[in-house]
């Protein structure tokens, strides 16, 4: 039995609630409009809720449903050798009543779940330490671990007020109301590890397409947890949207909020490669999160490394060694400051 508590939705079309299930704090999500996807495809017709449960259209064999699921995952995650293992997980999930067969109703329910961007990401990143764990599901409703603490207290302010806060005041709020600097360093290390996890994982590469502190969360022990995976997208999905899209300038080649590709002005078409990799965007975020209140003996070197990191450009796969080096230097710098203390 699930006990529903507070509504956590911050946007129209979202249904997110806190709750209690089996004596655990959980987050309940259902009927969520795909925020990132709708922004990315604003020219597409609105998707009716009924469409989520449109497949399979009839009773089907396990073999047929396996092939159908594999085709869907290939389209969304890319043609990866690891996908059959993920399909196996989906088939186990589809057997809701554990009778070793998948009924038409069960197939329709799990198909509806797979259409949810965040659910697909949770399934793909279940082995990753910094993604919330999936706890239960039914129809297109699913439960995850309880909402982590927010990293940016000003994020709780009404959206209309946030742009009115001067950067200096935002920094002061973070310093006064947020965790102590060593805890922030620990959270930042987790965020950098999450960037590593998104790059060349078991089920492909993923892009962070809305990089804000509002999506940075942490547990009671200050371990980083991604607060919202709806703004993370598989590389295959982003490339399919961008490649060949008509454009006049790079702003026309934007998936989500900040996954942006160059515009070939001669051909008037978007290219498939992103201008900024995940790491550069995260480092830009960390400059405002880590530099205020940083220890005096660390501030200059930390500022230099973060500036260097924000200038990274191009696909991470093309400059993989450079990205790994920059990321490793940053993690080492922060760990040296907090290791062998109560903060580590």
């Amino acid at each position: 039995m699930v006990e529903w508590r507070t509504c956590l939705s911050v946007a129209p079309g979202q249904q997110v609630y806190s709750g209690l299930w089996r004596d655990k704090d959980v987050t309940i999500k259902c009927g969520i409009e795909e925020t990132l996807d709708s922004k990315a495809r604003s020219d597409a017709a609105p998707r009716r809720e009924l469409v989520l449960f449109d497949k399979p259209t009839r009773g089907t064999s396990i073999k047929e449903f396996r092939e159908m699921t594999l085709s869907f995952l290939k389209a969304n995650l890319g043609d990866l050798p690891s996908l059959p293992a993920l399909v196996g997980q989906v088939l186990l999930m589809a057997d809701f009543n554990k009778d070793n067969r998948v009924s038409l109703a069960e197939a329709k329910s799990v198909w509806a779940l797979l259409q949810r961007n965040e659910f697909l990401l949770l399934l793909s990143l279940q082995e990753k330490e910094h993604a919330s764990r999936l706890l239960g599901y039914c129809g297109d409703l699913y439960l995850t671990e309880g909402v982590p603490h927010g990293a940016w207290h000003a994020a709780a302010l009404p959206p209309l007020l946030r742009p009115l806060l001067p950067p200096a005041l935002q920094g002061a709020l973070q310093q006064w109301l947020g965790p102590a600097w060593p805890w922030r360093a620990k959270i930042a290390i987790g965020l950098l590890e999450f960037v590593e996890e998104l790059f060349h994982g078991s089920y492909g590469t993923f892009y962070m397409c809305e990089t804000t502190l509002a999506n940075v969360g942490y547990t009671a022990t200050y371990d980083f947890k991604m607060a919202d995976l709806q703004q993370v997208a598989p590389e295959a999905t982003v490339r399919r949207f961008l490649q060949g899209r008509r454009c006049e300038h790079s702003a026309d080649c934007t998936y989500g909020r900040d996954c942006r590709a160059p515009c070939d002005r001669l051909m008037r078409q978007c290219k498939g490669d992103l201008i900024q990799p995940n790491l550069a965007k995260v480092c830009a975020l960390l400059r405002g999160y880590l530099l205020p209140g940083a220890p005096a003996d660390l501030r200059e070197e930390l500022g230099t490394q973060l500036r260097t990191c924000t200038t990274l450009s191009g696909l991470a796969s093309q400059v993989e060694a450079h990205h790994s080096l920059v990321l490793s230097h940053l993690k080492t710098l922060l760990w040296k400051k907090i290791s062998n203390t109560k903060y580590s």
Side-chain angles (χ1 to χ4, degrees), residues 163-213:
L164 304 179
L165 288 175
L169 181 54
Q170 291 183 16
L173 277 173
Q174 179 58 62
Q175 203 168 339
W176 296 333
L177 303 176
W181 187 88
W183 289 131
R184 277 184 273 150
K186 185 180 180 184
I187 295 164
I189 290 167
L191 176 55
L192 291 170
E193 288 172 347
F194 182 66
V195 171
E196 287 181 295
E197 291 170 354
L198 292 182
F199 180 57
H200 284 348
S202 303
Y203 302 114
T205 296
F206 297 86
Y207 295 132
M208 299 170 71
C209 292
E210 185 167 347
T211 318
T212 69
L213 280 175

Side-chain angles (χ1 to χ4, degrees), residues 129-130 151 183-198 208 210-218 222-227 232 278-279 281-287 289-290 306 327 330-331 334:
E129 181 185 351
H130 303 298
W183 289 131
R184 277 184 273 150
K186 185 180 180 184
I187 295 164
I189 290 167
L191 176 55
L192 291 170
E193 288 172 347
F194 182 66
V195 171
E196 287 181 295
E197 291 170 354
L198 292 182
M208 299 170 71
E210 185 167 347
T211 318
T212 69
L213 280 175
N215 290 333
V216 176
Y218 58 90
Y222 298 93
D223 292 310
F224 167 78
K225 285 283 184 182
M226 191 68 179
V232 177
N278 290 334
L279 183 56
K281 293 189 287 187
V282 163
C283 285
L285 201 65
L286 291 179
R287 287 176 72 178
Y289 187 61
L290 283 179
L306 287 172
L327 196 148
L330 260 175
K331 282 172 56 181
L334 294 171

Side-chain angles (χ1 to χ4, degrees), residues 225-240:
K225 285 283 184 182
M226 191 68 179
D228 185 1
L229 280 175
Q230 288 191 86
Q231 313 308 328
V232 177
E235 180 183 28
T237 301
V238 177
R239 278 184 168 275
R240 186 170 61 248

Side-chain angles (χ1 to χ4, degrees), residues 86-256:
L86 190 58
V87 173
Q89 287 186 49
V90 172
L91 290 176
L92 285 174
M93 287 173 45
D95 184 12
F96 287 92
N97 60 4
K98 307 302 177 191
D99 64 353
N100 296 316
R101 59 185 293 273
V102 177
S103 68
L104 179 60
E106 288 172 330
K108 283 179 177 288
S109 289
V110 80
W111 184 260
L113 279 170
L114 289 175
Q115 310 312 302
R116 301 298 187 191
N117 179 67
E118 187 182 39
F119 185 86
L120 182 59
L121 268 290
L122 282 170
L123 198 59
S124 305
L125 299 172
Q126 274 301 282
E127 299 172 5
K128 307 303 182 185
E129 181 185 351
H130 303 298
S132 293
R133 283 193 309 119
L134 183 64
L135 300 177
Y137 36 83
C138 181
D140 64 343
L141 177 151
Y142 55 97
L143 307 181
T144 66
E145 292 174 309
V147 177
H149 303 284
W152 187 44
H153 289 263
L157 292 171
L160 291 176
L161 290 181
R162 291 177 208 165
L164 304 179
L165 288 175
L169 181 54
Q170 291 183 16
L173 277 173
Q174 179 58 62
Q175 203 168 339
W176 296 333
L177 303 176
W181 187 88
W183 289 131
R184 277 184 273 150
K186 185 180 180 184
I187 295 164
I189 290 167
L191 176 55
L192 291 170
E193 288 172 347
F194 182 66
V195 171
E196 287 181 295
E197 291 170 354
L198 292 182
F199 180 57
H200 284 348
S202 303
Y203 302 114
T205 296
F206 297 86
Y207 295 132
M208 299 170 71
C209 292
E210 185 167 347
T211 318
T212 69
L213 280 175
N215 290 333
V216 176
Y218 58 90
T219 67
T221 54
Y222 298 93
D223 292 310
F224 167 78
K225 285 283 184 182
M226 191 68 179
D228 185 1
L229 280 175
Q230 288 191 86
Q231 313 308 328
V232 177
E235 180 183 28
T237 301
V238 177
R239 278 184 168 275
R240 186 170 61 248
F241 171 79
L242 292 172
Q243 199 110 41
R245 187 178 179 84
R246 184 171 176 78
C247 64
E248 297 294 334
H249 40 76
S250 62
D252 298 326
C253 304
T254 306
Y255 184 94

